Amino acid sequence: MKTVNARAVFGKDKKFKTTTIERRDVGAKDVLIDIKFAGICHSDIHTAREEWGDIEYPLVPGHEIAGVVSEVGTEVTKYKIGDHVGVGCMVNSCGECENCVKGEEQYCLKGMVGTYAGVDQYGNGEKTQGGYSTHIVVTENFVLKLPDSIELDEAAPLLCAGITTYSPLRHWEAGPGKHVAIVGLGGLGHMAVKIAHAMGAEVTVLSQTMDKEEDGKMFGADHYYATKDDATFDKLAGSFDLIINTVSANVELDSFLKLLRVNGTMVNVGAPPEPMSVGVFNLLTNRRSFAGSMIGGIKQTQEMLDFCAEHRLGATIEVISADDIDDAYERVVHSDVRYRFVIDVATMA
Ligand code: NAP
Ligand code: ZN
């Protein structure tokens, strides 16, 4: 066992505190990673504040992990000391079910193991703790190779924000000739714009206001509209083949569904705790679909990282000290993120 520095919350209304956690000994198939940067995802906030359900505290969040390999187990074949690597939202799965075999471990029939707030039922049964810490030990099959051409701090958010948007964009075939709208220009949204643009789609941002128009267009958006302006919904009625909704709160789905053309799909990746409802006639009209998508499998995550390297896409980030996590959470909740906070783990030493 190795005792390492971390930042944890000890209750839903509590602030982050400096603490230590135990990491397991490096097993035969394990990789020990010196974490350099950890992104702050809105899911960390939903979890830490018990918005999705009860949590066993203390909780160390963080599932956008970028670092350097510092030790490998005797049977590890994919990684060596010094490699730049990442870990995303999962650290294990059964490896045998239909979905794992297909490389969709996020839909493991027996349940994937979350990077934090989970229990590694396929390993030694330990409670998982995430990336707001100096080191992590992960079985090599859940470690990703980070391209050397992307700086570690800009690569960290790809492990969740990148794959969560890349996966539905690929599944619903964003590309040339496709009109794609991205709702919400936060951590996920800004990566969705960059990736959809790189795939060749015509990209529209639907943000609450016009405040971030210049940034959205710099990320690759062709058009930018404010959802606070009702005229937006009249103007864009029946326009899109695909809408990716990244909003962390409930939105009025019917207003967005009306923006889909024939056979269009609206994919919710945003994960607000409360249910949302749909007027069925907005689905019947134009044979529209309403769908969801959760992160992406390990194979596709590697594909996304290679795609981002090829297109020189990293996240647009604000690097913070570990002492500023609470402030960063408040800014994320108030849609004041430009466009992902990334913790410099050196500040935890
Ligand atoms: P984020 O950085 O906070 O971005 C969300 C954006 O949504 C905000 O920047 C804001 O954009 C917009 N927004 C926020 N509140 C709103 C409201 N009340 N009404 C309308 N728009 C609002 O969050 P994130 O890290 O990108 O995560 C977004 C959501 O995806 C979270 O719910 C998270 O848990 C979920 N998530 C899901 C998966 C998955 O596998 N499906 C993976 C990761 C995250 P504008 O200022 O541009 O309007
Ligand atoms: Zn996330």
Side-chain angles (χ1 to χ4, degrees):
M1 296 263 262
K2 185 180 170 72
T3 303
V4 308
N5 291 345
R7 294 295 162 108
V9 268
F10 289 76
K12 66 183 272 193
D13 304 318
K14 300 285 193 303
K15 291 199 181 304
F16 275 85
K17 277 193 188 160
T18 300
T19 190
T20 57
I21 54 172
E22 303 296 326
R23 293 302 191 189
R24 67 174 185 257
D25 289 332
V26 177
K29 294 192 162 72
D30 283 340
V31 174
L32 172 66
I33 302 165
D34 281 5
I35 301 176
K36 300 295 182 195
F37 296 97
I40 292 179
C41 176
H42 207 121
S43 301
D44 299 350
I45 304 175
H46 289 309
T47 308
R49 298 186 172 178
E50 284 196 324
E51 291 168 3
W52 285 343
D54 292 350
I55 284 296
E56 199 184 304
Y57 296 100
L59 169 81
V60 178
H63 58 209
E64 292 186 336
I65 298 171
V68 179
V69 174
S70 61
E71 193 182 328
V72 293
T74 50
E75 292 173 23
V76 167
T77 57
K78 297 182 193 155
Y79 300 103
K80 59 180 190 317
I81 292 172
D83 283 352
H84 283 191
V85 293
V87 178
C89 302
M90 311 177 273
V91 289
N92 219 342
S93 73
C94 87
E96 293 165 355
C97 73
E98 187 186 340
N99 294 343
C100 283
V101 169
K102 274 194 275 186
E104 303 225 88
E105 301 90 347
Q106 75 278 30
Y107 305 129
C108 174
L109 293 174
K110 293 184 189 161
M112 57 95 154
V113 180
T115 303
Y116 58 80
V119 171
D120 191 353
Q121 53 178 315
Y122 315 107
N124 63 4
E126 70 187 343
K127 182 182 161 191
T128 58
Q129 295 283 21
Y132 299 4
S133 61
T134 56
H135 300 78
I136 191 167
V137 178
V138 179
T139 185
E140 72 167 334
N141 287 344
F142 284 79
V143 175
L144 285 306
K145 173 92 189 87
L146 295 180
D148 291 328
S149 58
I150 306 176
E151 297 294 331
L152 283 177
D153 51 359
E154 294 178 358
L158 301 179
L159 277 309
C160 176
I163 183 58
T164 300
T165 50
Y166 180 90
S167 188
L169 287 167
R170 270 276 177 263
H171 185 83
W172 278 277
E173 299 176 338
K178 291 285 178 77
H179 294 258
V180 176
I182 308 300
V183 189
L185 195 67
L188 265 56
H190 94 289
M191 283 313 309
V193 172
K194 290 185 184 194
I195 293 169
H197 172 71
M199 288 175 174
E202 184 167 331
V203 182
T204 300
V205 172
L206 301 174
S207 177
Q208 292 166 93
T209 65
M210 296 303 287
D211 293 355
K212 297 177 277 190
E213 181 181 12
E214 205 176 307
D215 291 343
K217 293 206 166 150
M218 189 179 70
F219 298 148
D222 301 284
H223 316 283
Y224 199 105
Y225 292 92
T227 53
K228 284 217 163 122
D229 181 356
D230 287 340
T232 292
F233 290 93
D234 295 334
K235 180 154 197 273
L236 300 177
S239 299
F240 301 111
D241 300 291
L242 178 62
I243 299 175
I244 308 279
N245 178 24
T246 74
V247 174
S248 47
N250 281 13
V251 298
E252 209 191 306
L253 286 180
D254 288 311
S255 308
F256 288 95
L257 288 171
K258 286 178 189 162
L259 305 186
L260 292 170
R261 35 166 71 164
V262 172
N263 293 333
T265 302
M266 172 156 174
V267 183
N268 228 83
V269 291
E274 301 299 330
M276 287 196 269
S277 66
V278 170
V280 167
F281 279 90
N282 288 320
L283 293 174
L284 307 190
T285 306
N286 280 3
R287 204 192 289 127
R288 294 165 174 139
S289 302
F290 179 60
S293 183
M294 194 169 77
I295 48 174
I298 294 296
K299 184 161 172 273
Q300 194 176 46
T301 304
Q302 192 62 60
E303 177 189 306
M304 175 276 306
L305 289 166
D306 298 341
F307 176 91
C308 287
E310 185 189 332
H311 294 273
R312 302 241 167 262
L313 303 180
T316 300
I317 56 167
E318 191 172 327
V319 176
I320 60 162
S321 151
D323 295 333
D324 295 331
I325 297 171
D326 295 299
D327 291 343
Y329 273 31
E330 283 310 305
R331 283 186 53 194
V332 171
V333 166
H334 291 98
S335 302
D336 181 24
V337 55
R338 299 280 193 284
Y339 283 84
R340 200 54 141 186
F341 289 108
V342 173
I343 304 163
D344 178 355
V345 170
T347 61
M348 276 183 211

